[in-house]
Amino acid sequence: MTDEDHVVPSADDPLGAGVPISNGSGGRGGAAAALRFSRLDPSDPRLQIINDEQRFSPIVLEYMKKHWGIADRGFDYNAVSVFGSQSTGKSTLLNRLFGTNFDVMNEATGRQQTTKGIWVSKAADANLLVMDVEGTDGGERFEDQDFERKSALFSLAISEVVIVNMYENNVGLFNGANLGLLKTVLDVNLQLFQQVGSPKTCLFFVIRDFTDTTPLSKLSATLMGYLHKIWSSLSKPAGKEDCSIDDFFDFSFVGLPHKVFARDAFESAVAKLRSKFVDSKNPEFVFKPNYHKHIPADGFPHFAESIWARIVSNRDLDLPTQTQLLAQHRCDEIAKEVFVSFSTETSHFKALLEDGSVLESFGKETNEIVRSSIAQYEKAASRYHREVFLAKRKEFFTRMAGALHVVYIQLLGNVHRRAIDIFTTSLSQRLSPSHSDESLAVGDFSTQLNEAVSAADSYFIKIAESGRLEGSDWSYDSQLAQLREEINKIAAEKRTESIAAMQKGLEKSASESLTEAIQLAVNEAQPGMWKAIIESLKEVLSASEVQLKKRALGFSMSEEELNAAARNLRWQVWTAFQDCVRKEISEDSTLARLRNRFEAKFRYDDKGVPRIWKLDDPIDTYFKNAFDHAEKLLNVFARIDVPTSLIGDAIIDDPRFQPTSTTILSAPRLQVIRDRFKKDADVLFIEAKRSMVVTTAKIPIWFVGLTVALGWNEFMMVLFNPLYFVLMLITLAGMYATWYLGMVGPLYQVAKATSGEIFKQVNGELQKRGVRFNEQGSSGRKGARSRSRTSVERNRGVGEPNGIELVDAARSLAASESKLKRKAFSSPSLDE
């Protein structure tokens, strides 16, 4: 056992008694190292602050209190660490400089890794925390440089001085001098920890086996050239683009002779170097105030642990090895080849979906294709680095899932449209009269709506769920929410339409009932007509409201909606009532009712028998009574003559109600109807007067006898002359046939039209020759009729005329017309 070996006898580790222990975790010494990581060892001041599993020790503060005695020193302490390649004497250098007892390599047993993880101990003669860091470029970790980068960055972040240990013959080498690792560490350190104005760190280069053949100044210039080149190649974060390496680091260089071949010189140089680290009075004292991290001693454990946690979580340090790089390259190529085949197999889905099709077997087919593609990838890539293979397998699956997800979203769009069609079609069929049942007949809309919504919802979920890719995180929640939102919107519109249709049906039924009641009441026009009509209105309103409440149950209407619907229904029924009343009491219908009422009183007696006017009948009195009797209807029809309270508060209190709405016929319209009715009544009066004249002026009996006596011979001649007799029989037969077949009217119309056409043609020919008798004749006839009417009206105003006066008036009228006709035909021109 050499003086560089360290023996730890411990009651907690009897196997370690008298056994040399290295800072690693191999052999029996690994158990003791594990204990020193998590349990205080009173006999050993060393602590494995970070083990080779990259875990931070939980007992750092306990060591600082009980072993090192610096927990209460505040800012009066320093931290130094060593960085360099494996087996270059780092632990030996620390032991010589600071009086620590870090394990060193036993050269007799072979060159191998001695320190695993990061160890820390207190310097013998100073408040100085010394960290021994696992060497870089060790064969034990092969290509895995992950811990090397993290441990180097940790040392750089928490130490005031980092001793960079290297051989002289490695100066000028990139990997031999750990410049590649240093580049990575400086890059990440700049990203994570360095800020403008933050404490500097001293990089203290110790050139081992220095022979002075090449001056130290040249060696330092070479190293500084490399460092500046490395710094210029770094990608600076925002705000640090113009910073130089000297803004964050100071540099020192020292050479140490060979430890074996120049032992005395080596020991002398180490002693001189020790003074720079532990003697604060030395002009070249290494620990300058601007290097201190300004962390109190009792806060150092937490500070170091947070730094390590941040380093471990940073992905910029996870650089791949050569084996991993090869695996990444080959796995990417294999995945690319398989993806081409995958794309070909899935290309037809997009074309089908663009046509609006719904592929119910989409999920089954795509899952089968993905499983086949994964199997192809695994077959070709599973022989490469397992972690890379699994990571790339996941990436490949994610890529396939991403490509299919676009198609899946398109599928959901088609399913969305199909579900909307299913909903609208299902709801329309359920609400159609052919599909309706008794419950729907009373407005069971909500049940039918829920069934239609459930059908559309179930269809969408079924297709969306079956179309998902196994193992993916696909979700159709947002699409389902959009579908339900659109369905709810359509359902609200359908509900509004159905409620409106229900109300319209109730209004139509109410209008029909009101029309029948109003027609009956208006036609009879009995006293209290309006009261009876209003009572009918109330009955219809009551029945309609009962039907509304019954049908509203199916719509799940709220109390507020029901009240609003009832108010609207009452107003619509009132409006329909007004329309029916105004339609039945329009000008033409009112005039017709007045004329019928007048004729019933004027032309018929109290028993309903038609009157045959005689000369001694008081026609003027009958006329006046009938006219007054009919005219009374105008006052009845003019307005709804009932107290407003009888109409009902529900209608009167409606803000749309106007008191003037009870007026049916305005004063101007009443006057128009009166004038028209008076004219019609006057015509009937004149016709009655004429019928009286015709009835009175009949042929005397003596004239009939004289005619028979004078025409006897001619009558006998017709009877006994075969030709005349046959002609007479034919004439009589033709007249009978015409009467029997109902052709009298048509023949009369034909004769009238023929005579009118002949008259027009004759009149046209006469006009061509300058004869215009029709205007004068027409004017004459009009004047005669006017004078005759004036005479009749004057007679009606004076009193009842006798029969002789009527006959004279009729004869005078006929003579005047005959005279005018003769004058018109005898005059060459009406202008003369």
Side-chain angles (χ1 to χ4, degrees):
M1 180 178 299
T2 67
D3 59 346
E4 295 180 354
D5 294 329
H6 182 69
V7 179
V8 183
S10 172
D12 295 331
D13 185 16
L15 296 177
V19 179
I21 298 197
S22 71
N23 289 7
S25 59
R28 290 175 293 178
L35 289 176
R36 286 195 297 274
F37 172 78
S38 60
R39 186 182 303 175
L40 179 67
D41 186 355
S43 62
D44 191 351
R46 298 174 304 163
L47 171 67
Q48 190 179 27
I49 190 171
I50 297 173
N51 65 9
D52 56 346
E53 295 178 358
Q54 302 187 18
R55 294 170 55 197
F56 194 87
S57 173
I59 58 173
V60 179
L61 183 60
E62 189 174 3
Y63 261 79
M64 293 184 70
K65 291 179 179 179
K66 297 181 179 181
H67 256 311
W68 305 330
I70 61 173
D72 57 351
R73 302 295 294 183
F75 297 104
D76 186 19
Y77 76 99
N78 300 107
V80 64
S81 59
V82 66
F83 170 79
S85 299
Q86 178 178 304
S87 302
T88 56
K90 297 188 303 299
S91 300
T92 300
L93 177 62
L94 294 179
N95 291 339
R96 293 287 195 277
L97 284 175
F98 306 114
T100 55
N101 60 345
F102 294 117
D103 290 340
V104 296
M105 182 184 67
N106 187 352
E107 296 180 356
T109 61
R111 305 187 68 82
Q112 58 186 355
Q113 186 180 48
T114 305
T115 303
K116 283 192 174 184
I118 301 177
W119 291 74
V120 62
S121 185
K122 178 181 175 295
D125 301 324
N127 294 328
L128 180 61
L129 293 178
V130 182
M131 283 177 285
D132 189 11
V133 181
E134 178 180 321
T136 63
D137 199 22
E140 286 77 6
R141 292 191 180 272
F142 193 50
E143 292 182 333
D144 185 8
Q145 295 180 327
D146 179 65
F147 186 77
E148 294 179 4
R149 290 186 287 268
K150 292 178 180 178
S151 60
L153 180 59
F154 179 75
S155 302
L156 199 64
I158 70 171
S159 301
E160 300 169 46
V161 177
V162 176
I163 298 175
V164 182
N165 188 66
M166 64 173 59
Y167 289 117
E168 180 183 8
N169 58 4
N170 286 335
V171 176
L173 302 178
F174 187 77
N175 290 325
N178 288 308
L179 295 180
L181 177 60
L182 193 60
K183 176 183 178 181
T184 303
V185 171
L186 289 176
D187 188 7
V188 179
N189 182 70
L190 181 63
Q191 301 287 341
L192 296 181
F193 305 116
Q194 293 292 0
Q195 301 295 332
V196 177
S198 60
K200 284 187 174 184
T201 301
C202 178
L203 296 181
F204 200 100
F205 287 86
V206 176
I207 311 298
R208 302 291 294 275
D209 298 348
F210 178 64
T211 61
D212 203 20
T213 303
T214 303
L216 184 61
S217 60
K218 295 294 184 180
L219 296 176
S220 62
T222 301
L223 290 174
M224 288 302 300
Y226 286 136
L227 290 173
H228 282 290
K229 186 175 181 180
I230 289 173
W231 185 264
S232 63
S233 66
L234 299 181
S235 177
K236 313 293 191 307
K240 303 176 184 177
E241 296 88 347
D242 299 329
C243 295
S244 67
I245 192 172
D246 297 315
D247 294 329
F248 302 107
F249 299 97
D250 284 340
F251 303 93
S252 295
F253 299 89
V254 67
L256 293 180
H258 199 284
K259 171 178 170 292
V260 176
F261 301 114
R263 178 178 293 271
D264 294 338
F266 174 79
E267 294 296 343
S268 175
V270 167
K272 184 178 179 180
L273 182 60
R274 181 188 305 114
S275 175
K276 294 182 180 180
F277 280 95
V278 299
D279 185 6
S280 59
K281 297 180 180 180
N282 190 322
E284 298 181 355
F285 185 61
V286 173
F287 296 103
K288 296 180 181 179
N290 61 334
Y291 297 163
H292 203 284
K293 305 301 180 182
H294 303 293
I295 303 297
D298 57 353
F300 178 82
H302 177 73
F303 169 70
E305 185 176 10
S306 63
I307 292 293
W308 179 251
R310 192 171 181 184
I311 291 173
V312 170
S313 62
N314 187 268
R315 308 305 300 175
D316 292 339
L317 296 170
D318 296 337
L319 302 179
T321 64
Q322 291 296 325
T323 304
Q324 292 172 328
L325 288 174
L326 175 62
Q328 289 176 1
H329 176 71
R330 285 297 300 137
C331 289
D332 285 340
E333 286 187 339
I334 294 169
K336 184 177 180 181
E337 293 174 0
V338 178
F339 189 80
V340 171
S341 175
F342 164 81
S343 300
T344 303
E345 292 184 60
T346 57
S347 61
H348 68 286
F349 291 122
K350 187 173 182 180
L352 294 174
L353 292 173
E354 286 178 350
D355 294 336
S357 302
V358 174
L359 306 179
E360 297 186 2
S361 61
F362 175 80
K364 180 180 179 181
E365 295 182 25
T366 53
N367 277 290
E368 183 62 32
I369 294 173
V370 168
R371 282 193 292 268
S372 175
S373 300
I374 289 293
Q376 294 180 46
Y377 169 83
E378 290 177 344
K379 182 178 180 181
S382 59
R383 61 180 178 268
Y384 293 100
H385 192 280
R386 180 167 180 78
E387 292 182 1
V388 175
F389 156 71
L390 293 177
K392 291 298 180 178
R393 180 185 183 279
K394 184 177 181 180
E395 290 180 8
F396 179 52
F397 175 81
T398 302
R399 184 182 180 188
M400 290 190 295
L404 287 176
H405 189 257
V406 176
V407 186
Y408 178 70
I409 294 299
Q410 192 173 2
L411 171 66
L412 293 182
N414 293 352
V415 178
H416 175 100
R417 289 186 287 272
R418 181 70 61 83
I420 292 296
D421 292 340
I422 290 174
F423 168 73
T424 54
T425 303
S426 176
L427 185 60
S428 299
Q429 291 176 350
R430 295 172 189 277
L431 297 179
S432 63
S434 60
H435 188 79
S436 62
D437 53 14
E438 183 61 25
S439 63
L440 184 58
V442 298
D444 191 10
F445 176 84
S446 296
T447 301
Q448 309 302 330
L449 174 64
N450 291 335
E451 292 178 358
V453 170
S454 178
D457 203 70
S458 299
Y459 175 77
F460 183 90
I461 294 176
K462 175 187 174 183
I463 302 300
E465 189 65 33
S466 65
R468 292 180 60 184
L469 181 63
E470 296 175 0
S472 68
D473 57 351
W474 292 359
S475 173
Y476 53 85
D477 292 341
S478 61
Q479 288 80 6
L480 181 59
Q482 292 176 3
L483 173 66
R484 289 173 175 170
E485 181 180 356
E486 186 170 349
I487 285 179
N488 290 336
K489 183 178 179 181
I490 297 174
E493 294 175 355
K494 292 290 185 180
R495 182 176 183 269
T496 302
E497 293 175 0
S498 298
I499 292 176
M502 176 195 69
Q503 291 181 318
K504 188 174 181 180
L506 292 175
E507 294 166 12
K508 182 179 179 182
S509 176
S511 178
E512 292 174 353
S513 302
L514 287 172
T515 300
E516 184 177 351
I518 292 171
Q519 285 178 346
L520 181 61
V522 171
N523 288 335
E524 293 180 356
Q526 297 296 329
M529 177 190 74
W530 287 116
K531 184 177 181 180
I533 291 176
I534 293 299
E535 291 297 331
S536 299
L537 171 63
K538 289 184 175 180
E539 292 177 2
V540 171
L541 276 174
S542 178
S544 299
E545 289 184 20
V546 170
Q547 286 295 318
L548 175 64
K549 292 179 180 179
K550 184 179 179 181
R551 298 189 182 189
L553 295 175
F555 290 96
S556 301
M557 296 176 68
S558 64
E559 190 70 22
E560 184 179 355
E561 287 180 315
L562 183 58
N563 292 335
R567 287 194 300 270
N568 186 61
L569 176 62
R570 284 192 292 267
W571 180 255
Q572 293 301 328
V573 172
W574 168 251
T575 303
F577 167 78
Q578 290 180 298
D579 293 341
C580 291
V581 169
R582 285 182 169 80
K583 182 178 179 182
E584 291 299 325
I585 309 180
S586 62
E587 291 185 13
D588 293 337
S589 60
T590 301
L591 184 62
R593 288 189 176 90
L594 291 175
R595 181 168 180 170
N596 291 338
R597 194 178 182 91
F598 173 80
E599 289 182 355
K601 191 73 173 176
F602 182 65
R603 287 186 167 182
Y604 298 89
D605 58 18
D606 296 337
K607 297 179 181 180
V609 179
R611 286 192 173 98
I612 299 177
W613 299 107
K614 300 177 182 179
L615 293 176
D616 56 349
D617 288 338
I619 188 170
D620 289 346
T621 302
Y622 289 146
F623 176 83
K624 186 175 184 306
N625 292 338
F627 188 85
D628 293 342
H629 178 67
E631 194 177 26
K632 290 179 181 179
L633 287 181
L634 286 177
N635 296 328
V636 177
F637 292 161
R639 62 183 301 273
I640 303 175
D641 191 14
V642 295
T644 308
S645 58
L646 189 62
I647 297 176
D649 295 337
I651 295 176
I652 296 174
D653 294 340
D654 193 294
R656 294 169 287 186
F657 178 80
Q658 298 293 333
T660 56
S661 61
T662 57
T663 301
I664 306 303
L665 297 173
S666 61
R669 293 179 63 195
L670 283 174
Q671 189 58 43
V672 171
I673 295 173
R674 264 195 199 92
D675 293 342
R676 291 179 61 186
F677 172 60
K678 189 174 184 303
K679 291 178 182 179
D680 292 345
D682 289 345
V683 172
L684 293 175
F685 179 79
I686 293 173
E687 289 179 357
K689 287 287 188 179
R690 286 180 176 176
S691 66
M692 183 182 292
V693 173
V694 172
T695 304
T696 304
K698 55 186 178 181
I699 300 174
I701 297 176
W702 61 266
F703 183 76
V704 176
L706 180 61
T707 302
V708 171
L710 295 176
W712 180 259
N713 292 332
E714 286 77 8
F715 181 67
M716 289 296 107
M717 182 182 66
V718 172
L719 289 177
F720 293 103
N721 189 314
L723 179 60
Y724 290 158
F725 185 73
V726 171
L727 291 175
M728 183 185 70
L729 291 178
I730 293 173
T731 302
L732 292 175
M735 292 173 63
Y736 176 76
T738 302
W739 172 80
Y740 182 79
L741 296 175
M743 297 296 292
V744 176
L747 287 177
Y748 171 75
Q749 296 295 332
V750 171
K752 183 178 178 181
T754 303
S755 63
E757 186 64 27
I758 293 173
F759 178 78
K760 289 180 182 179
Q761 292 181 5
V762 172
N763 186 25
E765 292 297 328
L766 292 176
Q767 287 181 356
K768 291 178 181 179
R769 291 171 174 79
V771 180
R772 297 182 178 86
F773 70 92
N774 58 327
E775 296 178 0
Q776 182 68 21
S778 176
S779 299
R781 288 193 295 272
K782 289 182 181 179
R785 285 198 295 270
S786 176
R787 289 192 297 273
S788 175
R789 180 175 180 180
T790 303
S791 175
V792 172
E793 291 178 351
R794 185 167 57 252
N795 291 336
R796 187 181 64 189
V798 173
E800 181 181 356
N802 53 32
I804 296 175
E805 291 174 344
L806 293 174
V807 172
D808 290 341
R811 289 176 178 173
S812 176
L813 179 60
S816 297
E817 292 181 353
S818 176
K819 183 177 180 181
L820 289 172
K821 290 180 180 178
R822 288 197 302 271
K823 184 177 179 179
F825 280 100
S826 62
S827 300
S829 174
L830 294 178
D831 297 333
E832 296 178 1

